[in-house]
Amino acid sequence: TNKGKSWVSISSNLPKAGPVHTIEQDPVNPELLFLGTEFSFFISFDAGATWTEFKNGLPTISVRDIAIQERENDLVIATFGRGFYILDDYTPIRNYKKDIVGKPGYIFPIKEAKMYVQTDEFGQQGSMYYMSSNPPLGATFTYYLDTVPRTAGEIRKEAEKKLFEKGEFIPQPSPRDLSLEEREIKPYLIFTITDESGSIINRLYKSASKGVGRMTWNFTYAGYQPVSATKFTPVAEGGRRGRWGGGGISVMPGKYFVSMAMYAKGKITELAGPEPFECKPLDIVTMPVTDPAARTKWIGEATALAKTAYGAISYAGELVENINTIMQTVHQTPEAPQSLMDEAAAVNDEISEITYLIRGISVGASTEETPPSPVSLSARLSTMSRSLYGNNGDISGIADQQLKVLKKEFPVLLERIQKAGKSIEALNAKLDQINAPWTSGRVPKL
């Protein structure tokens, strides 16, 4: 403040061992300082009165230089081993206040999210080509979580540790107790994305961990493909998504909100939000959308139809397995009359026709080798869906044409699928009458 005529030490609680190599001051908040030492990296929120070591993702290493990218608010440090570490958008550190620590949860102000279409990475480049990862595509939320409830297993182990330290007897948990501990769902965070009307766009899940964390939403609605799973995993996206589709369709630019809640011990507790944020496209759009409202309406119709269609496809696949099991069961049951086998064979023929309409004929190395044939349901759905991925402009003519055809043809096919399902139920009832071995869909009876 006086051009170096007097100096005040700000070493404070810094480690005595290890010299300081570099220091940088935040261009917005003069109280915020960044420091690189021989062994670590430190941050001060109070102009050097106290220092906090920054360890997230950073090894014990000599930090030789610090740079701040002021436009994007990125913090870059260079280490002795020629390594570079980048903290994307460090504004949450700039906006940190002590009263945040006393809150159960907090969402920091969210940076404006830029929407664009990602290109595929280069392939087949060999070992000499290097490209580091970009920040994840989407709106990134930085949050603070004060505490995470402990699970029953964690509570038991902590109590056992104390008993061990005292040299006291440690009771053996019963197999029932261990089973309940294994089945307990660990706490997890729920991020709910809504639009300006309050409609839920998507929900994201992440394991709960105390402190500061980040979550990124990739600008998409929830996926519409059928979900299958052998075990409930709340922080996973949701099991196998099937062969005919990927994730959700992109939203339009605009204002959105995110709120944070936590599931623990069977209850959901709201922690923070809703926090507003803007999603805007980069100014490099070649073919911008001319009618956002029409696009949003079209996507809503297409998503509703696709959700039912993909569900029908999965259901038809289950019918294939069921009818094959029923025919095998009838064949191996001496009491089964020939008329029952004839009825099962007729249902099998109908399900085979349905499968053909869904999947079409098998192709060789290329679809160009396929002789002329009716366009299958899955092909139309795939064409419609793929035309939306990587496209933020108007709905293409091809996608709109496929939707119109699907609206006309799919209800007829869905009715046939539903009728085939009822036929399976009727066959299962007849298997019960002759006391045949169990098949899927039948409830065992005494």
Side-chain angles (χ1 to χ4, degrees):
T1 57
N2 57 8
K3 299 182 180 181
K5 293 182 178 179
S6 61
W7 294 84
V8 176
S9 173
I10 58 172
S11 58
S12 180
N13 60 325
L14 287 172
K16 301 299 181 182
V20 172
H21 292 297
T22 180
I23 187 170
E24 193 71 34
Q25 185 180 46
D26 180 68
V28 176
N29 179 8
E31 298 285 305
L32 181 60
L33 303 178
F34 304 102
L35 190 74
T37 72
E38 180 66 19
F39 299 111
S40 191
F41 179 71
F42 294 85
I43 299 175
S44 175
F45 299 95
D46 49 18
T50 57
W51 294 92
T52 301
E53 186 176 8
F54 188 90
K55 298 180 180 179
N56 290 8
L58 187 67
T60 300
I61 197 167
S62 177
V63 177
R64 295 302 183 93
D65 201 3
I66 302 171
I68 295 176
Q69 214 290 347
E70 295 187 23
R71 186 192 67 188
E72 300 298 327
N73 295 307
D74 292 344
L75 181 67
V76 184
I77 66 173
T79 63
F80 176 75
R82 297 184 180 180
F84 282 86
Y85 293 83
I86 302 175
L87 177 59
D88 300 305
D89 183 25
Y90 74 89
T91 53
I93 296 178
R94 178 184 294 161
N95 296 325
Y96 172 80
K97 298 177 182 178
K98 291 184 177 180
D99 61 344
I100 293 176
V101 179
K103 299 179 180 180
Y106 180 79
I107 299 176
F108 290 91
I110 302 167
K111 180 181 178 181
E112 179 181 279
K114 296 297 185 181
M115 304 178 74
Y116 58 92
V117 178
Q118 281 185 315
T119 59
D120 295 331
E121 295 182 0
F122 293 108
Q124 311 297 327
Q125 298 297 312
S127 61
M128 298 303 294
Y129 184 83
Y130 172 77
M131 182 172 64
S132 62
S133 299
N134 286 321
L137 169 66
T140 297
F141 317 127
T142 304
Y143 62 89
Y144 169 78
L145 182 61
D146 186 58
T147 57
V148 179
R150 295 176 298 172
T151 62
E154 291 170 343
I155 294 173
R156 173 181 59 81
K157 291 177 182 178
E158 184 176 340
E160 290 177 347
K161 181 180 179 180
K162 292 180 179 179
L163 292 174
F164 177 79
E165 292 173 350
K166 295 178 181 180
E168 298 179 3
F169 172 75
I170 301 176
Q172 177 69 28
S174 68
R176 172 65 175 171
D177 292 335
L178 294 175
S179 176
L180 291 174
E181 289 179 6
E182 185 178 356
R183 287 156 46 189
E184 182 180 2
I185 299 175
K186 294 182 179 180
Y188 62 88
L189 297 176
I190 307 169
F191 296 88
T192 302
I193 314 296
T194 57
D195 60 17
E196 289 188 281
S197 67
S199 299
I200 295 177
I201 302 297
N202 209 336
R203 278 199 173 100
L204 312 175
Y205 305 95
K206 185 178 182 180
S207 297
S209 179
K210 181 181 178 179
V212 177
R214 276 183 166 171
M215 189 71 175
T216 299
W217 170 55
N218 63 351
F219 307 126
T220 62
Y221 290 94
Y224 50 76
Q225 295 79 18
V227 176
S228 63
T230 57
K231 182 180 180 180
F232 173 61
T233 51
V235 296
E237 187 171 332
R240 179 173 55 86
R241 285 286 183 179
R243 57 172 293 189
W244 289 288
I249 297 173
S250 296
V251 301
M252 292 299 298
K255 186 176 183 179
Y256 295 89
F257 300 83
V258 60
S259 59
M260 181 175 69
M262 180 169 59
Y263 170 91
K265 305 290 185 181
K267 296 181 180 180
I268 295 178
T269 304
E270 295 293 332
L271 299 176
E275 182 70 23
F277 62 97
E278 293 280 347
C279 297
K280 294 183 178 181
L282 287 175
D283 297 328
I284 55 174
V285 180
T286 305
M287 300 176 65
V289 61
T290 59
D291 192 344
R295 175 185 165 91
T296 301
K297 180 181 178 183
W298 190 94
I299 288 177
E301 293 179 1
T303 300
L305 187 142
K307 184 180 293 186
T308 303
Y310 282 118
I313 290 172
S314 295
Y315 179 62
E318 294 179 357
L319 294 182
V320 172
E321 297 180 6
N322 289 341
I323 190 60
N324 285 324
T325 301
I326 288 173
M327 292 181 69
Q328 191 68 38
T329 302
V330 171
H331 177 69
Q332 295 179 192
T333 303
E335 298 86 355
Q338 182 60 37
S339 60
L340 187 56
M341 176 59 81
D342 294 339
E343 184 179 347
V347 174
N348 182 55
D349 290 340
E350 171 63 6
I351 293 177
S352 297
E353 287 294 319
I354 290 172
T355 302
Y356 170 75
L357 294 174
I358 290 175
R359 300 188 178 184
I361 62 176
S362 300
V363 300
S366 170
T367 54
E368 296 177 356
E369 301 176 10
T370 306
S373 60
V375 181
S376 66
L377 171 64
S378 62
R380 291 196 186 280
L381 283 170
S382 179
T383 301
M384 182 181 71
S385 299
R386 288 175 183 174
S387 66
L388 294 174
Y389 295 119
N391 173 30
N392 290 327
D394 290 328
I395 302 300
S396 69
I398 293 177
D400 190 50
Q401 180 188 43
Q402 299 305 313
L403 179 58
K404 290 177 180 177
V405 174
L406 286 168
K407 283 182 176 180
K408 180 180 179 181
E409 295 183 352
F410 175 63
V412 178
L413 179 58
L414 178 60
E415 186 176 352
R416 291 181 67 176
I417 295 173
Q418 292 169 340
K419 186 176 179 181
K422 292 180 180 179
S423 298
I424 292 289
E425 293 176 1
L427 287 171
N428 278 329
K430 293 181 180 180
L431 289 177
D432 280 336
Q433 293 175 3
I434 62 173
N435 198 27
W438 178 84
T439 54
S440 179
R442 292 163 56 200
V443 179
K445 301 177 182 178
L446 286 174

